[in-house]
Amino acid sequence: MADDGLPLGAAQNLTLMQGGDRLLVRASGNAFPADFAARVAALGGRVVFAHDGAGIGAVDGLSAAGAAQLARLKGIAAVDLDNFTMIAPPDVFETEMVAGAVESPSAPNTANFFPRQWHLRQIEAPAAWAAGRLGNATTSIGILDTGLGYTHPDLVGRVDLTRSRSFVASDDALVASNFPGAHPIADLNYHGTHVGATVSSNAVAAAGVTSGTTLVGIKVCNVNGSCPTSAVLQGVLYAADMGLPVANMSLGGTFMRRDASAQGGVGPSFIATVNQVFNYANRKGTLMVVSAGNSAIDMDHDGNGFKAYCSAPGVACVSATGPTARAGTNGPWTNPDALASYSNYGVSSVNVAAPGGNGASNVTAACSSFSLQIPVCRTGTVVLGINGTSMASPHAAAVAALISESTGNNPGLIRSRLQQSADDLGAPGADPQYGKGRINVRRALGL
């Protein structure tokens, strides 16, 4: 398909939208009352989850009156309506199939589509591969997204299905009906597979930043790219409780702080609830790497907006870079470190930049063999070329995972090393477009 135009990996410019009758609940402390489930049931509802440790949960089935009664119960600090954001389908994308390729995890540069993967060369991934830094199977990274197409040759054996979880019940039913016997994290969309394979790939069709890092699929978005906040927060808590050193979130939204605090329409305590979950992840030793968003917003001057999830505490926020021109499918590329035309930016939010693609070139990675959104992806070994800060974030998350091999679970140290080893672009020091710079694998590993 044509590759001109701006394909959006994740539309992060959407106002949070109310979703159904699910409620987010925050306890007064770090644990819910022992009889919380019974109290909710007595009001006519059901507990979806209640996390003791973070003091965050969700309930279904309560009327407005029931929700008001729940908010007045002893031990309950806040009750807010659940919301969701959307991952937008790509406006324009490339798909291509490969036949007869062999996996090459020890030499990712021999992958069939590596010649067009300008994004991996730009961050000096081949130098890390040459030094044997291909990722360690004992290092796991969470992929909070639409799931993973774990049967794609680039992902076979790379996904730990025993620890992977779906927090989207509606998708579980679709997986069971369309692909009997498949794991619930099967990616019916396409987005999570592309993100995950950018982190770690067997390098059959396309290479990833690593070829040995283990992926843990954490499904928080459904087949249509809808991501309920309750599922996202449950996924963050799960990643933290699993002891994952790094997790990637190529999803989110933006909204005005006034709408999610005090008596705002989104919910009087929505921001506090989000922040409590991310603080918990940071305390547990999980670095959340998040995409900056695709609305070309100056996040330093956006009317006091809350960027979900660049505004959350303890995260590494990633803007996107990409070439302004290319001579052909396999390059050469002009100005590959230009800030992508769609990328959000802001020195107050962006920690680092990473390749996300631009109008002149896409990021190439696997497409889900379970995809209902792009049916051709079910017909063979297919790669997908798309752009977005969604594509930038997993490049940075993969480097963070490599750093964690020596640091262990230390979010602050991993984030600092990610920033300190970046190639300083733009104005010296931190700047709105690149933060501390565009990531560099070789320098991050001290090679």
Side-chain angles (χ1 to χ4, degrees):
M1 298 185 182
D3 63 346
D4 54 340
L6 174 61
L8 297 182
Q12 295 176 300
N13 58 325
L14 299 178
T15 300
L16 288 171
M17 295 169 283
Q18 294 179 1
D21 63 351
R22 181 164 295 181
L23 301 169
L24 295 173
V25 184
R26 183 157 52 90
S28 299
N30 293 329
F32 284 91
D35 60 349
F36 177 61
R39 291 183 180 187
V40 172
L43 294 172
R46 175 187 70 91
V47 174
V48 178
F49 77 95
H51 190 282
D52 289 335
I56 301 295
V59 302
D60 274 341
L62 291 182
S63 65
Q69 291 182 62
L70 178 63
R72 291 194 293 269
L73 291 178
K74 184 178 180 180
I76 302 302
V79 176
D80 296 300
L81 279 173
D82 195 11
N83 293 272
F84 65 94
T85 51
M86 291 293 298
I87 295 173
D91 296 331
V92 186
F93 58 89
E94 295 176 301
T95 58
E96 195 161 344
M97 188 180 301
V98 61
V102 297
E103 73 175 51
S104 49
S106 62
N109 57 299
T110 63
N112 190 81
F113 290 104
F114 178 71
R116 71 179 60 177
Q117 292 186 284
W118 59 274
H119 43 101
L120 297 178
R121 289 187 289 279
Q122 199 63 23
I123 63 172
E124 296 199 64
W129 304 337
R133 299 302 302 271
L134 297 159
N136 193 323
T138 60
T139 299
S140 298
I141 179 171
I143 306 297
L144 279 72
D145 215 292
T146 60
L148 293 168
Y150 60 87
T151 59
H152 189 288
D154 279 349
L155 290 183
V156 170
R158 299 267 55 81
V159 182
D160 184 346
L161 294 176
T162 62
R163 291 188 293 163
S164 295
R165 294 288 184 275
S166 168
F167 297 106
V168 188
S170 60
D171 246 39
D172 298 350
L174 279 176
V175 170
S177 62
N178 285 277
F179 304 98
H183 193 287
I185 64 145
D187 182 9
L188 305 179
N189 186 262
Y190 64 88
H191 192 268
T193 300
H194 194 281
V195 167
T198 298
V199 172
S200 186
S201 169
N202 291 320
V204 177
V209 178
T210 78
S211 58
T213 305
T214 297
L215 304 176
V216 177
I218 304 175
K219 184 185 282 192
V220 297
C221 306
N222 70 13
V223 60
N224 298 315
S226 175
C227 311
T229 303
S230 56
V232 172
L233 297 184
Q234 196 173 7
V236 173
L237 294 171
Y238 180 76
D241 288 338
M242 288 297 294
L244 303 180
V246 180
N248 185 80
M249 290 176 55
S250 291
L251 52 93
T254 63
F255 53 92
M256 292 298 101
R257 290 176 185 270
R258 65 177 178 271
D259 293 330
S261 57
Q263 295 301 312
V266 172
S269 304
F270 187 83
I271 291 176
T273 296
V274 169
N275 287 348
Q276 190 158 312
V277 168
F278 280 81
N279 278 325
Y280 177 85
N282 194 59
R283 291 197 305 271
K284 295 285 284 188
T286 299
L287 175 63
M288 304 302 302
V289 181
V290 303
S291 51
N294 299 339
S295 303
I297 290 174
D298 177 356
M299 296 186 288
D300 293 332
H301 305 93
D302 64 346
N304 203 26
F306 186 92
K307 282 71 65 176
Y309 292 89
C310 282
S311 295
V315 305
C317 176
V318 187
S319 63
T321 58
T324 55
R326 66 174 179 176
T329 299
N330 295 336
W333 292 270
T334 302
N335 199 13
D337 279 327
L339 182 73
S341 59
Y342 53 81
S343 181
N344 290 350
Y345 58 95
V347 71
S348 62
S349 298
V350 173
N351 295 97
V352 292
N358 216 338
S361 190
N362 294 321
V363 170
T364 300
C367 189
S368 176
S369 43
F370 300 104
S371 179
L372 300 181
Q373 298 290 352
I374 308 178
V376 69
C377 294
R378 303 199 304 271
T379 63
T381 303
V382 178
V383 296
L384 179 64
I386 49 179
N387 294 349
T389 57
S390 282
M391 286 62 254
S393 184
H395 285 81
V399 178
L402 289 169
I403 293 170
S404 77
E405 292 178 3
S406 60
T407 65
N409 290 50
N410 192 324
L413 182 56
I414 295 170
R415 185 172 53 251
S416 293
R417 189 169 297 180
L418 193 65
Q419 294 178 139
Q420 293 163 1
S421 61
D423 290 336
D424 191 5
L425 304 174
D431 62 71
Q433 290 75 29
Y434 304 100
K436 290 289 188 178
R438 191 254 306 123
I439 60 168
N440 184 305
V441 186
R442 177 186 58 78
R443 294 183 62 194
L445 299 179
L447 302 176

